Amino acid sequence: MNKMILGRYLPGDTWLHRLDPRTKISISFYFIVIIFFANNVLSYALLLAFTFGVIFSSGINQKFFFNGVRPLFLLILITVFFQLFLTRGGHIYWSFGPFALSQYGIRSSIYVFLRFMMIILMSTLLMLTTAPLMIADAIESLLSPLKRIHFPIDQIALMISLALRFVPTLMDETITIMNAQRARGVDFSDGGLIKRIKAMIPVLIPLFVNTFSRAGDLGTAMESRGYSGEGERTRYRKLTWARRDNIAWAVMLLLTGLLFILRN
Amino acid sequence: MDIEFQNVSYIYDANTPIASVGLKNINLTIKQGTYAAIIGHTGSGKSTLLQHLNALLKPTTGKVKIEDREITAQTNNKRLKEIRHRVGIVFQFAEHQLFEETVGKDIAFGPQNFGVSESDSLDLAHQMLAKVGLSDELFNISPFDLSGGQMRRVAIAGVLALQPEVLVLDEPTAGLDPQSRKDMMALFAQLHQEQGITIILVTHQMEDVANFAEQVYVLEQGQLIRTGHPEDVFFDETFIQQHQLGVPQATSFALSLRQRGLKLPSLPLTEADLVQALTTYFGKGSVKHE
């Protein structure tokens, strides 16, 4: 659990940290969309070069970063496996029942692998360099046009920021409760699947109970300080769109242009 | 069962950019049957140290010897159960560990994990419930229907039911009412005296240290900066001031008396000592209570 960096934030002062969170979120989504336009070796090479360029220039500890995303690659490999053996077309090297190893299969599995890899690397980078509350602020700001159709953006943003705020708290609490149960003889790493799932019950029940009571306390605390869902809210942290954000988007548009030149 | 730390260091998130030092080069020995207290400010490494006492954490470097078992960074996670059976830990806010349908089942949960039969463990649960001063009527109700103080007692009973040789207590009385606090501390003292259980108490209550502990360990920023009898530590005024530690009320009362010119022959640690010192001072030992 310690090695996982998905959803972790590393405070820092790199150019990626300084970018406006709205830029980072919108660019991440934009990038995920344009990944699907790549369709040959050159266009994939371009996107890969971009991805690694961003990672290396971000100043994040490389070893920590790549060790941290490694567990996620296992998930991709499962998808790739199906892609590899269930796609037919071109020259067929080997086949057995529904499974076949074909020219197209190999190519598309490599492409799928690269796509997933780039998406995971980019979104991990986004989470690592953006404080959770900034993400919530950015989502609120990006969704604000929906206010026109009376979509409750404020409440949703509050829910997101509360949820993000309590992730580390819940992680700590899980570890504390697991330790308490370990001290009472529970062995989480022993036995078969069923036994391990059963071993989680003494952790999950207190965790649920505490979470509900904490949510209740939080609600009371907010109400006692006069919070209500209605009303215009001003904010303490203001998001500011700077020149570097324009530059970032200009780079993205340039990348898109190049991509469309290189693709078939 | 002696516990010995040899050059123990612990680093959180080792080998990552967010690595932070938990413990730095700790050397200490806690002999069988000692009542030890660990004090220090928040974040000084008390809880980290405590998790080394039954191998919930393994030292990054150095080794922890628990009787004849050596725990180092390489120690396998299996076969630690025996240690956990013999070293019981009551964590801070222990009531958060309750999960069973009934109070009795929750207390019996620990012993059952260590192979005690169901009926034996339920017998144990009845005994422990009485020991922590709760009525047997609570045995079959849900632990979540209890008050906070009762829940804490049930959680403590759940650890006592393991019948450990070493009992580690992490601020066991924080948040309890004064009477419960007294009861619990008296219970731990009784276990220590009658059954020779080693007690390791982590606390901010200097009164508890003064009243019960035989040995004090002072931690600061992950380092052990002082070991000694409570008198040695609390009466060392320069040390206490330097590290901004508190002293027991009786000691601080006597110190202010001294400042105002009262020449007390010796410094007291507990209330009883203080009364003794004052009667000696004023009546040269001849004052009698009416």
Side-chain angles (χ1 to χ4, degrees), chain A residues 172-192:
Chain A
D172 285 351
E173 193 160 299
T174 312
I175 290 169
T176 312
I177 296 173
M178 280 176 83
N179 275 339
Q181 307 302 18
R182 265 196 200 107
R184 289 207 286 168
V186 177
D187 199 337
F188 294 103
S189 56
D190 191 35

Side-chain angles (χ1 to χ4, degrees), chain B residues 4-216:
Chain B
E4 197 180 336
F5 280 51
Q6 292 178 356
N7 302 314
V8 171
S9 294
Y10 185 80
I11 299 172
Y12 282 99
D13 296 302
N15 300 321
T16 72
I18 47 173
S20 59
V21 175
L23 292 177
K24 228 187 280 175
N25 206 17
I26 303 271
N27 283 291
L28 59 82
T29 308
I30 299 173
K31 289 255 174 247
Q32 157 105 44
T34 314
Y35 196 131
I38 302 177
I39 60 175
H41 294 288
T42 319
S44 58
K46 299 183 300 275
S47 296
T48 313
L49 187 134
L50 172 152
Q51 290 178 49
H52 280 83
L53 295 169
N54 71 353
L56 285 172
L57 290 180
K58 289 177 286 184
T60 312
T61 58
K63 63 182 162 194
V64 177
K65 278 172 84 175
I66 301 174
E67 205 169 58
D68 47 2
R69 274 294 295 275
E70 280 188 5
I71 313 282
T72 63
Q74 283 78 38
T75 304
N76 195 309
N77 273 331
K78 318 259 164 177
R79 291 186 48 240
L80 294 175
K81 250 189 158 172
E82 198 221 331
I83 292 180
R84 300 205 175 133
H85 193 179
R86 300 174 64 182
V87 182
I89 298 193
V90 176
F91 282 91
Q92 231 171 337
F93 304 112
E95 58 273 28
H96 288 175
Q97 72 187 32
L98 303 177
F99 73 100
E100 271 285 9
E101 294 158 56
T102 68
V103 167
K105 276 189 186 173
D106 204 288
I107 301 174
F109 175 72
Q112 281 175 21
N113 282 325
F114 291 113
V116 177
S117 76
E118 198 178 334
S119 64
D120 286 357
S121 65
L122 287 174
D123 285 348
L124 255 175
H126 279 291
Q127 288 172 34
M128 294 305 153
L129 196 61
K131 219 167 205 169
V132 295
L134 291 177
S135 140
D136 210 53
E137 285 164 22
L138 301 179
F139 197 83
N140 285 318
I141 73 166
S142 161
F144 297 108
D145 289 339
L146 301 177
S147 74
Q150 288 173 321
M151 284 170 85
R152 177 78 58 85
R153 286 173 188 240
V154 170
I156 291 172
V159 175
L160 294 182
L162 303 176
Q163 299 180 298
E165 293 161 52
V166 178
L167 184 60
V168 183
L169 305 158
D170 192 356
E171 298 189 41
T173 60
L176 288 185
D177 60 272
Q179 189 55 47
S180 303
R181 180 169 289 197
K182 251 188 199 162
D183 293 350
M184 285 295 108
M185 290 314 295
L187 169 66
F188 302 139
Q190 185 201 349
L191 288 170
H192 171 66
Q193 278 155 12
E194 288 176 5
Q195 299 173 27
I197 292 179
T198 311
I199 301 228
I200 302 171
L201 173 74
V202 173
T203 187
H204 288 294
Q205 303 290 325
M206 298 307 160
E207 267 62 51
D208 290 343
V209 179
N211 286 329
F212 302 105
E214 297 155 353
Q215 192 78 353
V216 182

Side-chain angles (χ1 to χ4, degrees), chain A residues 24-37 46-52 54 114-115 117-123 249 252 255 259:
Chain A
K24 281 189 271 187
I25 289 181
S26 52
I27 282 182
S28 302
F29 278 102
Y30 181 76
F31 185 72
I32 289 170
V33 172
I34 63 170
I35 281 174
F36 289 91
F37 286 100
L46 172 76
L47 293 180
L48 275 177
F50 176 78
T51 309
F52 283 98
V54 173
L114 292 177
R115 266 182 216 158
M117 185 181 79
M118 287 189 284
I119 292 174
I120 286 177
L121 291 179
M122 276 301 195
S123 39
W249 264 110
M252 288 314 288
L255 183 77
L259 178 69

Side-chain angles (χ1 to χ4, degrees), chain A:
Chain A
M1 196 188 289
N2 287 331
K3 284 257 164 65
M4 273 294 270
I5 59 169
L6 188 77
R8 257 203 206 171
Y9 168 60
L10 264 190
D13 193 30
T14 67
W15 64 267
L16 254 181
H17 282 88
R18 286 192 296 267
L19 273 184
D20 190 295
R22 288 171 297 184
T23 314
K24 281 189 271 187
I25 289 181
S26 52
I27 282 182
S28 302
F29 278 102
Y30 181 76
F31 185 72
I32 289 170
V33 172
I34 63 170
I35 281 174
F36 289 91
F37 286 100
N39 62 358
N40 60 8
V41 178
L42 278 178
S43 50
Y44 270 106
L46 172 76
L47 293 180
L48 275 177
F50 176 78
T51 309
F52 283 98
V54 173
I55 294 170
F56 289 127
S57 69
S58 69
I60 288 248
N61 183 318
Q62 313 293 340
K63 206 176 139 204
F64 172 68
F65 182 74
F66 288 108
N67 275 339
V69 288
R70 210 160 45 191
L72 296 170
F73 280 82
L74 229 119
L75 281 173
I76 313 181
L77 286 178
I78 297 168
T79 323
V80 168
F81 178 82
F82 285 109
Q83 195 77 25
L84 184 60
F85 289 106
L86 293 175
T87 313
R88 279 170 189 267
H91 185 76
I92 294 186
Y93 302 102
W94 172 86
S95 82
F96 176 80
F99 302 107
L101 195 59
S102 71
Q103 193 187 351
Y104 284 9
I106 291 175
R107 195 166 61 191
S108 71
S109 62
I110 290 175
Y111 285 169
V112 164
F113 174 75
L114 292 177
R115 266 182 216 158
F116 268 113
M117 185 181 79
M118 287 189 284
I119 292 174
I120 286 177
L121 291 179
M122 276 301 195
S123 39
T124 308
L125 205 54
L126 168 76
M127 297 299 286
L128 273 180
T129 59
T130 318
L133 285 176
M134 295 303 264
I135 291 182
D137 282 359
I139 292 174
E140 181 179 6
S141 166
L142 290 170
L143 292 181
S144 57
L146 292 177
K147 261 185 197 159
R148 297 245 174 91
I149 55 167
H150 298 291
F151 196 69
I153 297 296
D154 291 339
Q155 272 100 316
I156 287 180
L158 181 77
M159 275 158 60
I160 295 173
S161 49
L162 285 182
L164 289 172
R165 156 67 186 76
F166 280 99
V167 170
T169 312
L170 284 181
M171 287 286 268
D172 285 351
E173 193 160 299
T174 312
I175 290 169
T176 312
I177 296 173
M178 280 176 83
N179 275 339
Q181 307 302 18
R182 265 196 200 107
R184 289 207 286 168
V186 177
D187 199 337
F188 294 103
S189 56
D190 191 35
L193 188 66
I194 304 285
K195 205 179 158 198
R196 286 191 195 199
I197 292 173
K198 267 194 172 161
M200 288 311 287
I201 294 175
V203 177
L204 291 178
I205 292 177
L207 201 58
F208 266 104
V209 172
N210 293 346
T211 307
F212 277 109
S213 76
R214 181 175 292 126
D217 290 350
L218 185 70
T220 314
M222 285 170 66
E223 274 181 354
S224 67
R225 282 182 286 171
Y227 176 84
S228 80
E230 290 101 53
E232 274 296 298
R233 308 196 73 76
T234 54
R235 42 189 59 255
Y236 170 60
R237 295 176 304 269
K238 285 227 161 69
L239 299 175
T240 45
W241 191 272
R243 213 167 73 104
R244 52 175 168 265
D245 299 297
N246 287 330
I247 295 172
W249 264 110
V251 170
M252 288 314 288
L253 294 178
L254 196 73
L255 183 77
T256 319
L258 273 174
L259 178 69
F260 277 91
I261 294 169
L262 290 177
R263 77 188 288 260
N264 290 341

